[in-house]
Amino acid sequence: MRIRVFHETNYTYEQPARGLIQLLRLRPRDHDGQYVRRWRIEPSVDGRISEREDGFGNVTHWFTADEPADALTIRVTGEVDTNEMHGIVRGTVERLPDVFYLRDSDLATANGELQLFAKSVVDEGDSSVLPCLHRLLAAVFDTIAFEPGPASASTTAAQSFAAGKGVCQDLAHIFIAAARHLEIPARYVSGYFFHAESGEDQGSGHAWAEALVPGLGWVGFDPANGIATTEAHIRVAIGLDYLGAAPIRGSRMGGGTETLEVKLRVEQAQATVQV
């Protein structure tokens, strides 16, 4: 599948903001089943942008504005070719040992209720890792209502589980927290998802989880859709939770009230056939 992405993040400030700095995790990498044909990141104001790699192996860009600005747009455009890998993730850049992803994190820690939930999943059948993860995927999908909308950088897995609903980020955190409680390394993934049935215009990017399966390696699980990851997913960044893989995080001085608007279009592009 060839997937085309147009992603625009628009910030408007009540007053000119000074010292604008943005950390961007918006560029996908090549790996088995994912090849980036073209990708461009364009800030709307003059400044300096530098490419680096963070501790997780994500491609990051640091953008620093030259002058105060009353608005900032980060525009991303690109095309990615994907192949069906049946959820298996191979050929990725790995900078950390697998056991690192057993570590609890601020947004993905299992409280008592989540621990009981995870145990109930194990008790329902085969206790080997892959069947457990598929049952956990189904249990999160069936138990927690997926409600698309703006995400919060402070909502924890325990809070979302208690509410019984959340955005894709929240369902990923619940899955990760439960998996780690079962001693299965798990991590957060941010990226894009082509919704063939619901149309291409979306209000935000997508998030899911990856868990480590003996003999297979990392496998992607998308609790918001109740499926393993497919060729419709574009994998961009990983972290222990949202805070480590957030597409954009920044700081500024002044500026007053900030207004945020996101425009996202993910569509299937037609590959050119050469004869």
Side-chain angles (χ1 to χ4, degrees), residues 58-80:
N58 303 315
V59 176
T60 65
H61 292 85
W62 285 88
F63 172 72
T64 305
D66 287 341
E67 302 288 343
D70 56 13
L72 170 66
T73 295
I74 304 293
R75 181 176 295 111
V76 175
T77 54
E79 282 187 357
V80 177

Side-chain angles (χ1 to χ4, degrees), residues 21 25 42 78 194 196:
I21 300 175
R25 297 183 188 89
E42 299 174 284
F194 169 59

Side-chain angles (χ1 to χ4, degrees), residues 4 28-29 61-62 65 88 95 101 111 138 148 162 174 219 226 263:
R4 181 182 296 126
R29 302 190 84 143
H61 292 85
W62 285 88
I88 299 172
R95 301 298 185 209
Y101 296 100
N111 64 352
I174 291 170
V219 178
K263 298 178 181 178

